[in-house]
Amino acid sequence: MKPGNGQNRAVIRDVYPSIDGGFYPIKRVTGEWVNVWADVLADGHDLLNASLAWRHESETDWQEAPAQAIGQNRWHGKFQVTRQGFYQYRFRGWIDYAQTWQKGIGKKIAAGLEVGVELLEGIPFLQHLLGVVEEEHQVFVKECKAEFSVGKSNPEAHLLATSPRLAELFARYPYRPFMAQSADDTRVWVDREKARFSTWYEFFPRSASSVPGQHGTFADCEKILPRVAEMGFDTLYFPPVHPIGEVDRKGKNDKTVADPGDVGSCWGIGSRHGGHTSLHPDLGDLKSFQKLVKTAKGLGIEIAMDLALQCAPDHPWVKEHPAWFKQRPDGTVQFAENPPKKYQDIYPIFFESEDWENLWDEILKVVMFWIDKGIRVFRVDNPHTKPIPFWHWLIGEVRKVHPDIIFLSEAFTLPKIMLELAKAGFTQSYTYFTWRNSKDELIQYLNELTQGPVSEVFRPNFWPNTPDINPYPLQNPSEPLYLTRYFLAATLSSNVGVYGPVYEQMVHQSVPGREEYYDSEKYAVRHWDWDLRNNITHLMTRVNQARKDQKALQQTNQIRFCHLENSNLLAFLKTGEDDSQVLAVVNLDPNQSHHGELHLPYDWLKVGHNAQYQVRDLMSEASYSWQGERHFVALNPDWPFHLFEIKG
Amino acid sequence: MKPGNGQNRAVIRDVYPSIDGGFYPIKRVTGEWVNVWADVLADGHDLLNASLAWRHESETDWQEAPAQAIGQNRWHGKFQVTRQGFYQYRFRGWIDYAQTWQKGIGKKIAAGLEVGVELLEGIPFLQHLLGVVEEEHQVFVKECKAEFSVGKSNPEAHLLATSPRLAELFARYPYRPFMAQSADDTRVWVDREKARFSTWYEFFPRSASSVPGQHGTFADCEKILPRVAEMGFDTLYFPPVHPIGEVDRKGKNDKTVADPGDVGSCWGIGSRHGGHTSLHPDLGDLKSFQKLVKTAKGLGIEIAMDLALQCAPDHPWVKEHPAWFKQRPDGTVQFAENPPKKYQDIYPIFFESEDWENLWDEILKVVMFWIDKGIRVFRVDNPHTKPIPFWHWLIGEVRKVHPDIIFLSEAFTLPKIMLELAKAGFTQSYTYFTWRNSKDELIQYLNELTQGPVSEVFRPNFWPNTPDINPYPLQNPSEPLYLTRYFLAATLSSNVGVYGPVYEQMVHQSVPGREEYYDSEKYAVRHWDWDLRNNITHLMTRVNQARKDQKALQQTNQIRFCHLENSNLLAFLKTGEDDSQVLAVVNLDPNQSHHGELHLPYDWLKVGHNAQYQVRDLMSEASYSWQGERHFVALNPDWPFHLFEIKG
């Protein structure tokens, strides 16, 4: 079968970025640029030209900007996204007949050949220009037309034919009767800025009371907000705040049977008090929750809600929608298990249900319910145990109405599944940072995350700890280590989070041999000193402030590790959208001072060769005047980092 | 919008190979295997399974073979292609409920738990088996069903539930109510074997006469066939045999104006004697041409015809189809030019013609005309100066009727254009081998060609020279160099060709400073000694025989270069489909002897560690018994190569 128009000789191939053939969009936040590359191919020796076209989903017309040839048939174009939602982008390529003509006639004129016929051949290009150029160019183009029409070589026509002005008009108003376009399914999803730059704090509302032993309330949480804001956090994540199952409830330290008075795991959602759209009666009512959300907003803090799609045996859905749970041949409902282990307190949702459409709709309703109550950020529990196509649909549906909603994926699983969840729509993801400690591990992991297609869709959120993970190194209450791990998380990644109270106080006791906190808040009310100020809170406050002040720390992908011949010292440069730069140097050894010679990569450093430049340590306020690319650095464990702002 | 079936939790991603999202097929020849990889992803912890499915375009039903998990969610499957034409292939992936059940119940039984309900849960899988397993397994499955139905743990049921026999049935007859499939547009085009393994000889029919000065004929060509066959060539390519333009004909050595009696360039096609479906009257008529084709076939030689889509000013099309040529404002027809150079003897075809559909149809008719006369191989002149979409269509249309037609692309241009022509359908392509001389250049180039997506679509044909290219090194009549260049071409690549008469006689005179032959046959009748036998013809005969005997030399991609600490010695191993291996060692220096220690890569060598193995030099018949991976080799320029058959 012949193509639609066989006169078009150009083809576009290998558009980058394009995720899974355009099935998924890439991601940006408002204000960012999208860099696109493509091969533009055609037969013969005519000059080619190319452009990048884009439009917001709400627009009919395409915008367009010229692309640049970068060699070997590869072209590069870029555009800036300014609005939330989807943009489409396409590469365009065509034979540039007018420029080919101008180049050819130029050579012939230079060789002294008669070009009367060639001049006549230029007239269609002028005719095209007359239809599109501004008033100010009309006279010029008409003059060209008159001179070319003579049909004989003449000096005036030669000058006009080869003039830069004509070349510029040809470039600005391409004559392209035939044009190739890449498929229109390459898209970018644009989030609000917080998708890229956010600082999370986590605590359990039920531990928010200032009175030891007393169950916290939303009103108690409200009192803690100023401290969270003062430390520089902008997102406050609460584990589930819904009613907790009373049937087969777990006891403290994951005990199979609860003792009287045990509050249970807040991830065991649902009871006679309600399910996913209800609140735990001991925490407060909807009104007090909404008051909390509003007060937080006034302090620059968004409350992130947990979306944990699983049910306690007494969750209302279990009775109302038996088809949403796996029914066993003996008439019981399938509880969670990891054979031979059994978790009778949790009924997983049965996504293979024949009633899956109603199930999906109901979950969408849950999310929309909380959005309606003022929630804009969801931390999603174990998304890797619910179907990928479900998330793709759910997040897509939510964003049709609310493009500003942020979903953080709590998936600790195989890399490709984590990536797939990011592709399917999750805004941010938990990562392996929690287990990347050595210099080599950190460099390798950051290179994985910040380069190539992964960096177009996966936005890491680095957490040094979570209620589920008390990492082995932090089971040693070493202050330098606690300082360093938060510093690394907050400077390597523009999205960072911490399970705060235990971190600040270096609560490190674990279930023996496991990365579980002992006496975990997951199963109990705990009491914390909400007035605590120490080196760790000081560090958090300081580095969080630096993140607010430095564009370079508000993004993750523009990072470059520096050579430093000491495996305990990690150094990296980050560059912001505004070309500002910071240099971080970290001593990874909590026990020893280390020094070494740092090599700054000139090809990345926005400073001239041999120029003097100022560096100011944002952590200590010390300033230095530097020159050249090699600098001696020394760091001791007490305050094991520099964070230099570089001023050229 | 919800997906078709939300109960399906598996997704397939990143299928390899897939060229431009399936727009183009990959390539194979009959008998070859297609290796396919894909990511199979799903949520949760259930066991996954996957398979590869394929079907020939003439078939409705899919064949299927299990795929193997190779880690990190990646799976591998393969199938063999046995028929010419298109095959589709798809990856399939699913949650393996039956195997997940068997694994779970096994763990519970091992832990001594009651599994009555679990046994009942296994019954649907048995029910499925009863519908699909052979008679011999029915009794076994029924027995399982009876024991499982008891509804209580019992030793007999435990044994059956965990039995390898049941596992094997589950594996052979997967229970998959839901399944993901990759898109069905991944295809492989299957050629006949010659597409991969061919040995080309080129001469000009008009120089075939044994009488000096006399214009050769098809009858003269016929007399040369036995020699060509004896030297081991299976494809004989003739430059165009059509009438040559008489208007603005070029003279000897590309002189702008021909002298009386000059025969002209045979690429200047068309005259009062006819065009692309006519034969040059001095060569003979259609009958003598078809006789030649038939005689050649009897000797195992296919005649390859030139498809040069351009016209002399007196080609019949110029008058009959003015719309197929670019008409200039002064009423003349656009001739070829490379400003300021002019080639008045050639009118390029104007592919942007509004009459492009008729033009395409006419060219298809030309190709079909010659196919009808017995031609199965076309060497296409400068395909990179005709539109890529045109070739895609033309080759596709031809192959719908004649899947055995071979097209060799004579494109010497940018790598991506050469690759695109291969994707668009060309069976084989000329390459940069002609300009790759040093060890590093050769290794880098072969690695480019034989790895990744390029190796799935691009079949190189290595030519040490062509009538258009008298490479600078060969302008020095050094016999070692002529021996080496053919040896390299014929062993590195399974498709090889040589512009024979001048090569054998080391005709090396060039147009000064250029890679053009002096007194080129392109513009003149030449006379050659068709009885010549010398070292070069001996080498060609010998290496062509080795190619026929050794499967390893009948393919290009399975190549591995060996470490040899001497930049003048190149060594490489090739492995055939039948696991046979050859080892080539070449001295690239035409002036000096060289020696060195060769390291054979054990991970590639099909010989056990410390085993003795025999190597026989196919060029000299010398045999050696080797052991280990290091061997001393020495080669002098007189016979500068080993070609060892390795026998484990």
Side-chain angles (χ1 to χ4, degrees):
Chain A
M1 214 186 64
K2 296 195 183 80
N5 186 351
Q7 294 171 280
N8 171 40
R9 294 157 44 202
V11 297
I12 312 275
R13 296 279 175 256
D14 200 14
V15 175
Y16 176 92
S18 169
I19 306 298
D20 293 323
F23 183 76
Y24 290 127
I26 61 161
K27 289 180 192 160
R28 289 294 185 275
V29 302
T30 47
E32 280 188 320
W33 288 85
V34 179
N35 286 282
V36 186
W37 290 261
D39 291 345
V40 182
L41 311 175
D43 61 286
H45 307 289
D46 293 339
L47 295 178
L48 288 177
N49 219 328
S51 70
L52 182 63
W54 68 93
R55 66 176 174 191
H56 188 268
E57 58 183 331
S58 65
E59 295 164 346
T60 318
D61 292 340
W62 293 82
Q63 298 187 68
E64 188 174 12
Q68 271 69 47
I70 57 172
Q72 292 289 341
N73 294 103
R74 198 91 178 134
W75 292 71
H76 169 247
K78 63 177 182 173
F79 68 101
Q80 194 176 21
V81 292
T82 52
R83 298 172 56 185
Q84 288 176 46
F86 281 111
Y87 283 74
Q88 289 172 277
Y89 56 93
R90 288 179 175 180
F91 234 89
R92 294 173 172 172
W94 60 92
I95 312 270
D96 196 322
Y97 298 105
Q99 294 199 357
T100 303
W101 168 85
Q102 198 179 29
K103 188 179 165 192
I105 199 171
K107 284 185 178 172
K108 288 175 184 173
I109 289 168
L113 302 181
E114 161 63 38
V115 293
V117 182
E118 282 78 0
L119 288 168
L120 291 174
E121 286 174 330
I123 289 176
F125 311 130
L126 302 176
Q127 209 59 48
H128 156 73
L129 287 183
L130 286 174
V132 289
V133 297
E134 300 89 341
E135 192 52 38
E136 58 189 292
H137 300 299
Q138 291 281 339
V139 174
F140 170 73
V141 178
K142 280 176 188 156
E143 190 192 345
C144 292
K145 197 178 161 190
E147 295 293 344
F148 290 12
S149 302
V150 172
K152 279 199 170 167
S153 269
N154 67 83
E156 181 59 27
H158 291 182
L159 270 178
L160 291 168
T162 57
S163 67
R165 183 167 177 189
L166 188 58
E168 202 196 305
L169 290 177
F170 285 155
R172 272 197 5 233
Y173 302 98
Y175 173 80
R176 46 184 184 192
F178 317 118
M179 182 171 75
Q181 292 203 76
S182 61
D184 61 352
D185 49 9
T186 41
R187 293 190 303 165
V188 49
W189 169 260
V190 181
D191 284 300
R192 58 185 169 121
E193 274 192 74
K194 187 164 206 158
R196 190 184 66 177
F197 172 50
S198 60
T199 314
W200 296 53
Y201 192 84
E202 173 177 4
F203 71 77
F204 285 68
R206 67 186 178 193
S207 300
S209 172
S210 56
V211 182
Q214 191 166 309
H215 196 287
T217 64
F218 293 131
D220 293 326
C221 294
E222 228 177 304
K223 292 181 204 146
I224 300 170
L225 291 175
R227 178 176 184 269
V228 174
E230 185 195 305
M231 286 170 71
F233 294 96
D234 57 34
T235 312
L236 175 57
Y237 154 55
F238 290 153
V241 290
H242 310 298
I244 295 170
E246 294 167 352
V247 175
D248 286 325
R249 174 180 281 189
K250 286 278 179 75
K252 290 200 185 78
N253 281 309
D254 206 14
K255 228 179 90 182
T256 311
V257 182
D259 292 321
D262 276 350
V263 289
S265 161
C266 50
W267 280 275
I269 295 170
S271 76
R272 61 198 160 100
H273 297 295
H276 282 79
T277 51
S278 302
L279 292 167
H280 195 292
D282 292 350
L283 289 171
D285 59 10
L286 191 56
K287 205 175 143 196
S288 67
F289 179 72
Q290 286 188 271
K291 182 162 173 285
L292 167 66
V293 171
K294 201 178 159 191
T295 307
K297 200 176 170 194
L299 291 164
I301 294 173
E302 294 187 65
I303 302 294
M305 202 154 182
D306 202 303
L307 183 62
L309 295 177
Q310 54 193 18
C311 297
D314 38 342
H315 191 293
W317 285 350
V318 178
K319 277 220 176 72
E320 291 164 16
H321 300 282
W324 297 354
F325 302 88
K326 193 171 177 185
Q327 305 296 326
R328 307 191 70 196
D330 63 347
T332 62
V333 175
Q334 178 69 60
F335 46 77
E337 54 179 19
N338 179 14
K341 282 198 267 176
K342 302 178 175 192
Y343 308 96
Q344 280 103 334
D345 61 326
I346 296 291
Y347 287 179
I349 290 172
F350 184 51
F351 278 90
E352 277 135 338
S353 170
E354 290 189 3
D355 194 35
W356 63 275
E357 298 200 64
N358 289 321
L359 168 65
W360 289 22
D361 288 337
E362 178 67 19
I363 297 172
L364 176 59
K365 271 188 213 157
V366 168
V367 176
M368 296 303 258
F369 176 89
W370 292 112
I371 290 173
D372 188 49
K373 302 299 172 287
I375 296 299
R376 287 288 176 278
V377 184
F378 293 89
R379 176 268 196 194
V380 179
D381 190 67
N382 281 332
H384 58 290
T385 60
K386 289 94 198 171
I388 295 158
F390 161 72
W391 292 119
H392 189 210
W393 171 83
L394 181 82
I395 295 174
E397 292 299 305
V398 170
R399 285 184 172 155
K400 274 184 197 164
V401 192
H402 302 288
D404 59 331
I405 306 302
I406 287 171
F407 293 91
L408 167 63
S409 156
E410 190 249 358
F412 293 105
T413 180
L414 293 166
K416 282 181 184 165
I417 302 285
M418 291 173 66
L419 180 61
E420 187 71 16
L421 289 166
K423 290 177 185 177
F426 281 92
T427 321
Q428 304 178 353
S429 178
Y430 284 68
T431 69
Y432 303 140
F433 166 75
T434 319
W435 301 276
R436 298 293 178 271
N437 295 291
S438 74
K439 180 174 177 173
D440 283 354
E441 284 170 355
L442 288 165
I443 292 175
Q444 192 189 320
Y445 191 47
L446 266 291
N447 285 341
E448 255 174 54
L449 295 178
T450 60
Q451 294 171 10
V454 172
S455 71
E456 306 285 351
V457 289
F458 187 89
R459 292 200 196 91
N461 192 328
F462 279 10
W463 290 65
N465 73 330
T466 78
D468 286 317
I469 314 163
N470 177 9
Y472 292 121
L474 297 182
Q475 293 178 16
N476 169 25
S478 148
E479 188 180 286
L481 208 53
Y482 275 74
L483 294 174
T484 303
R485 292 298 293 171
Y486 187 80
F487 179 87
L488 285 170
T491 52
L492 287 168
S493 172
S494 50
N495 293 306
V496 64
V498 66
Y499 168 34
V502 305
Y503 200 88
E504 292 153 25
Q505 306 185 24
M506 297 198 288
V507 172
H508 59 280
Q509 292 84 354
S510 70
V511 176
R514 297 183 52 198
E515 293 191 311
E516 279 279 341
Y517 284 100
Y518 181 74
D519 255 351
S520 169
E521 277 188 280
K522 289 197 289 185
Y523 313 103
V525 173
R526 295 287 299 267
H527 176 72
W528 309 114
D529 175 4
W530 294 109
D531 293 316
L532 180 81
R533 298 287 184 282
N534 63 12
N535 270 345
I536 298 172
T537 61
H538 174 64
L539 171 274
M540 287 178 174
T541 308
R542 194 109 205 181
V543 75
N544 289 350
Q545 186 61 47
R547 287 162 51 87
K548 283 184 186 163
D549 296 339
Q550 301 293 327
K551 285 270 182 208
L553 296 174
Q554 294 170 16
Q555 59 76 41
T556 302
N557 291 338
Q558 295 303 312
I559 188 169
R560 170 87 175 256
F561 291 92
C562 308
H563 184 72
L564 211 168
E565 198 87 53
N566 182 326
S567 64
N568 291 286
L569 293 178
L570 178 75
F572 54 92
L573 264 173
K574 293 187 88 171
T575 307
E577 280 177 345
D578 58 354
D579 271 0
S580 66
Q581 295 195 307
V582 298
L583 166 68
V585 189
V586 189
N587 177 2
L588 300 173
D589 181 349
N591 304 311
Q592 304 267 346
S593 292
H594 284 278
H595 63 265
E597 193 184 46
L598 168 71
H599 296 211
L600 291 175
Y602 256 127
D603 59 327
W604 232 67
L605 202 60
K606 311 242 174 240
V607 160
H609 273 265
N610 296 319
Q612 281 227 336
Y613 51 100
Q614 305 301 314
V615 299
R616 181 171 67 94
D617 192 333
L618 302 164
M619 305 304 287
S620 71
E621 294 301 333
S623 281
Y624 309 91
S625 184
W626 280 6
Q627 191 176 23
E629 56 189 347
R630 295 178 181 226
H631 302 282
F632 177 80
V633 286
L635 287 164
N636 72 58
D638 293 342
W639 196 246
F641 23 68
H642 292 301
L643 184 61
F644 291 122
E645 177 189 39
I646 299 178
K647 296 237 166 183
Chain B
M1 214 185 66
K2 298 194 182 80
N5 186 351
Q7 294 171 279
N8 170 40
R9 292 159 45 203
V11 297
I12 312 275
R13 296 279 175 256
D14 199 15
V15 174
Y16 176 92
S18 169
I19 306 298
D20 294 323
F23 183 76
Y24 290 127
I26 62 162
K27 290 178 190 162
R28 289 294 185 275
V29 303
T30 47
E32 280 187 320
W33 288 84
V34 180
N35 285 282
V36 186
W37 290 261
D39 290 345
V40 182
L41 310 175
D43 61 287
H45 308 289
D46 292 340
L47 294 179
L48 288 177
N49 220 328
S51 70
L52 182 64
W54 68 93
R55 65 176 174 192
H56 188 267
E57 57 182 331
S58 65
E59 296 163 348
T60 318
D61 292 341
W62 293 82
Q63 298 186 67
E64 188 174 12
Q68 271 68 47
I70 56 173
Q72 292 290 341
N73 293 104
R74 197 89 179 136
W75 292 71
H76 169 246
K78 62 178 183 172
F79 68 101
Q80 194 175 23
V81 292
T82 52
R83 298 172 57 186
Q84 289 176 46
F86 282 110
Y87 283 75
Q88 289 172 276
Y89 56 93
R90 289 178 174 181
F91 234 90
R92 294 172 172 175
W94 61 92
I95 311 271
D96 196 320
Y97 298 104
Q99 293 199 357
T100 304
W101 168 86
Q102 198 178 30
K103 188 178 165 193
I105 201 170
K107 285 185 177 174
K108 289 175 183 173
I109 289 167
L113 302 181
E114 161 65 35
V115 294
V117 183
E118 282 78 1
L119 288 168
L120 291 174
E121 285 173 331
I123 290 176
F125 311 130
L126 302 177
Q127 210 57 47
H128 155 74
L129 287 182
L130 286 173
V132 290
V133 297
E134 300 89 342
E135 192 53 38
E136 58 190 292
H137 300 298
Q138 292 282 339
V139 173
F140 169 73
V141 178
K142 281 176 188 156
E143 189 192 348
C144 291
K145 196 178 161 191
E147 294 293 344
F148 290 10
S149 302
V150 172
K152 279 198 172 173
S153 269
N154 67 83
E156 183 58 28
H158 292 181
L159 271 178
L160 291 167
T162 57
S163 66
R165 182 166 179 191
L166 189 57
E168 201 195 305
L169 291 177
F170 284 155
R172 274 204 355 239
Y173 302 98
Y175 173 79
R176 46 183 182 191
F178 318 117
M179 182 172 74
Q181 292 203 75
S182 60
D184 60 353
D185 48 9
T186 41
R187 294 190 303 168
V188 50
W189 169 260
V190 181
D191 285 300
R192 58 185 169 120
E193 273 193 75
K194 186 163 207 160
R196 191 184 64 177
F197 172 50
S198 60
T199 313
W200 296 53
Y201 193 84
E202 174 178 3
F203 72 78
F204 286 68
R206 66 187 179 193
S207 300
S209 170
S210 57
V211 183
Q214 192 164 308
H215 195 288
T217 65
F218 294 132
D220 293 326
C221 294
E222 229 178 303
K223 291 180 204 144
I224 301 171
L225 291 174
R227 178 176 184 271
V228 173
E230 183 196 307
M231 287 170 72
F233 294 97
D234 56 35
T235 311
L236 177 56
Y237 154 54
F238 289 154
V241 289
H242 309 299
I244 295 171
E246 294 167 351
V247 175
D248 287 325
R249 175 179 281 190
K250 286 279 179 75
K252 289 199 185 79
N253 280 308
D254 205 14
K255 227 179 92 180
T256 312
V257 182
D259 291 322
D262 275 351
V263 291
S265 161
C266 50
W267 281 276
I269 295 170
S271 75
R272 61 197 161 98
H273 297 295
H276 282 78
T277 51
S278 301
L279 292 167
H280 194 293
D282 291 351
L283 289 172
D285 60 10
L286 191 56
K287 204 176 145 196
S288 66
F289 179 71
Q290 285 188 272
K291 180 162 177 287
L292 166 66
V293 170
K294 201 178 161 192
T295 307
K297 198 174 171 193
L299 291 163
I301 294 173
E302 294 188 65
I303 302 293
M305 199 153 185
D306 203 303
L307 183 62
L309 294 177
Q310 54 193 18
C311 297
D314 39 342
H315 191 292
W317 285 350
V318 177
K319 276 221 179 69
E320 291 165 16
H321 299 283
W324 296 356
F325 301 89
K326 192 172 176 184
Q327 304 296 325
R328 306 191 71 197
D330 64 348
T332 62
V333 174
Q334 179 69 60
F335 45 77
E337 54 180 19
N338 179 14
K341 282 198 266 178
K342 301 180 176 191
Y343 307 97
Q344 280 101 334
D345 61 324
I346 294 292
Y347 288 178
I349 290 172
F350 184 50
F351 277 90
E352 276 135 340
S353 170
E354 289 188 5
D355 194 35
W356 63 275
E357 296 199 65
N358 288 323
L359 167 65
W360 289 22
D361 287 336
E362 178 66 21
I363 298 171
L364 176 59
K365 271 188 213 155
V366 168
V367 176
M368 296 303 258
F369 175 89
W370 291 113
I371 290 173
D372 188 49
K373 303 298 171 288
I375 295 299
R376 286 287 176 279
V377 184
F378 293 89
R379 176 271 198 193
V380 179
D381 190 64
N382 281 332
H384 58 292
T385 60
K386 288 94 196 171
I388 295 157
F390 160 73
W391 292 120
H392 190 209
W393 171 82
L394 180 82
I395 296 173
E397 292 300 304
V398 169
R399 285 184 174 156
K400 275 184 194 164
V401 193
H402 301 288
D404 59 330
I405 306 303
I406 287 171
F407 294 90
L408 167 63
S409 156
E410 189 249 357
F412 292 107
T413 180
L414 293 166
K416 282 183 184 165
I417 302 285
M418 291 172 67
L419 179 61
E420 187 72 16
L421 288 165
K423 291 177 184 177
F426 281 92
T427 322
Q428 304 178 354
S429 177
Y430 284 69
T431 68
Y432 305 140
F433 166 75
T434 319
W435 301 278
R436 296 291 178 273
N437 295 290
S438 75
K439 179 173 178 174
D440 283 353
E441 284 169 354
L442 288 164
I443 292 176
Q444 193 190 317
Y445 191 47
L446 266 291
N447 285 341
E448 255 173 55
L449 294 178
T450 60
Q451 295 172 10
V454 172
S455 70
E456 307 285 352
V457 288
F458 187 90
R459 292 199 195 91
N461 192 326
F462 279 8
W463 291 65
N465 72 332
T466 78
D468 287 316
I469 314 164
N470 177 8
Y472 292 122
L474 297 182
Q475 292 178 16
N476 169 25
S478 148
E479 188 180 284
L481 208 54
Y482 275 74
L483 294 174
T484 303
R485 292 297 294 171
Y486 187 80
F487 179 87
L488 284 170
T491 53
L492 287 168
S493 172
S494 51
N495 293 306
V496 64
V498 67
Y499 167 35
V502 303
Y503 199 89
E504 293 154 24
Q505 306 185 27
M506 295 199 288
V507 173
H508 59 280
Q509 293 83 354
S510 70
V511 176
R514 297 183 52 196
E515 292 191 312
E516 277 279 341
Y517 284 101
Y518 182 75
D519 256 350
S520 170
E521 279 187 279
K522 289 198 289 184
Y523 312 104
V525 172
R526 296 287 301 265
H527 176 73
W528 310 114
D529 174 3
W530 295 109
D531 292 318
L532 179 81
R533 298 286 187 279
N534 64 12
N535 270 345
I536 299 172
T537 62
H538 175 65
L539 170 274
M540 286 178 176
T541 308
R542 194 108 206 183
V543 74
N544 288 349
Q545 186 61 48
R547 287 162 52 87
K548 282 184 188 164
D549 296 340
Q550 299 294 325
K551 284 272 181 205
L553 297 174
Q554 294 170 17
Q555 59 76 41
T556 302
N557 292 338
Q558 295 304 312
I559 187 168
R560 170 87 175 252
F561 290 92
C562 308
H563 184 72
L564 210 168
E565 199 86 51
N566 181 329
S567 63
N568 291 287
L569 294 177
L570 178 76
F572 54 91
L573 264 173
K574 294 186 90 172
T575 307
E577 280 175 346
D578 59 353
D579 272 0
S580 66
Q581 295 195 306
V582 298
L583 166 68
V585 189
V586 190
N587 177 1
L588 300 174
D589 181 350
N591 304 310
Q592 304 268 345
S593 292
H594 284 277
H595 63 264
E597 193 184 45
L598 168 73
H599 297 211
L600 291 175
Y602 255 127
D603 59 327
W604 232 67
L605 203 60
K606 311 244 174 244
V607 160
H609 274 264
N610 297 319
Q612 281 228 338
Y613 51 100
Q614 305 300 314
V615 300
R616 180 170 67 94
D617 192 334
L618 302 164
M619 305 304 288
S620 70
E621 294 299 335
S623 280
Y624 309 90
S625 185
W626 280 6
Q627 191 175 23
E629 56 189 347
R630 295 177 181 227
H631 303 282
F632 177 81
V633 288
L635 287 165
N636 72 57
D638 293 343
W639 196 245
F641 24 66
H642 292 301
L643 184 62
F644 291 122
E645 176 190 41
I646 298 177
K647 296 236 164 183

